[in-house]
Amino acid sequence: MEKKAQGWGFDLVVASIIFSFAIVFFYIFAINYSTVGEENFNNLAYEGQLAAESILSEGYPADWNNNTVVRIGILSQNKINQTKLERFYNMANSSEYNRTKVLFNIAHDYNVSFSSNVTIPGVGDVSSIGKTKSNPENLIRVTRFSIYNNKPITLDIDVSG
């Protein structure tokens, strides 16, 4: 009878050790996971602010084009400039999309959507510029207001990772 009790006691010790390791692993994973998620959120928020500040500026140089652009901006005299808007659209919807990310100093994908359609000659009415992920893991939206064709317009700059 003593041997059965000793066997049962040994099983209980092994099960307790395995359970303890599982609990420790779970807590370590949970702590690290929340930190990584917070860092990613802060990074996306920072990139959203960078993109919004750049887009709603005059850009550099003030009369930039695809060859001279240092900073993309679509405003002139605090209103959306049609020429700069077209240039931005053409860059973002071509093989130069990754270059626009470098000019914005961001690593993640972005999409600029407008509260009302903007007109791009040769294309027609456009509701957004950039790339959208169908099901992003993380998404930050920065909202800004401006003037387009003498009417107020809202721009939502989405950065997704």
Side-chain angles (χ1 to χ4, degrees):
M1 197 120 163
E2 285 182 29
K3 288 187 179 186
K4 287 183 181 179
Q6 289 175 348
W8 184 80
F10 182 72
D11 289 345
L12 183 61
V13 170
V14 170
S16 297
I17 291 171
I18 292 172
F19 182 74
S20 297
F21 278 121
I23 293 294
V24 169
F25 177 77
F26 172 76
Y27 280 114
I28 289 172
F29 177 77
I31 290 169
N32 288 335
Y33 182 76
S34 65
T35 303
V36 170
E38 185 176 327
E39 287 176 12
N40 192 28
F41 174 79
N42 290 337
N43 191 24
L44 285 175
Y46 177 72
E47 288 187 5
Q49 295 295 333
L50 284 177
E53 287 174 16
S54 181
I55 291 167
L56 290 175
S57 72
E58 288 197 0
Y60 186 80
D63 190 26
W64 63 270
N65 62 40
N66 290 13
N67 298 323
T68 63
V69 66
V70 174
R71 181 178 181 183
I72 296 172
I74 62 171
L75 297 184
S76 291
Q77 300 174 359
N78 295 320
K79 297 178 182 177
I80 295 177
N81 178 299
Q82 185 65 38
T83 303
K84 291 179 181 182
L85 181 65
E86 292 170 25
R87 290 175 183 163
F88 172 47
Y89 176 84
N90 291 331
M91 286 182 76
N93 291 306
S94 69
S95 60
E96 293 192 85
Y97 172 77
N98 286 330
R99 181 175 174 220
T100 63
K101 290 179 12 179
V102 170
L103 291 170
F104 290 142
N105 198 22
I106 64 175
H108 295 91
D109 287 328
Y110 70 89
N111 184 59
V112 180
S113 56
F114 304 95
S115 59
S116 58
N117 289 345
V118 294
T119 303
I120 305 294
V123 177
D125 288 342
V126 173
S127 62
S128 68
I129 298 174
K131 289 188 178 179
T132 57
K133 287 187 174 182
S134 60
N135 197 7
E137 185 176 319
N138 294 302
L139 176 75
I140 289 291
R141 174 169 287 165
V142 178
T143 302
R144 295 289 188 264
F145 301 97
S146 190
I147 304 293
Y148 179 70
N149 288 337
N150 295 318
K151 295 179 184 173
I153 191 170
T154 303
L155 287 78
D156 290 324
I157 299 100
D158 295 340
V159 179
S160 56

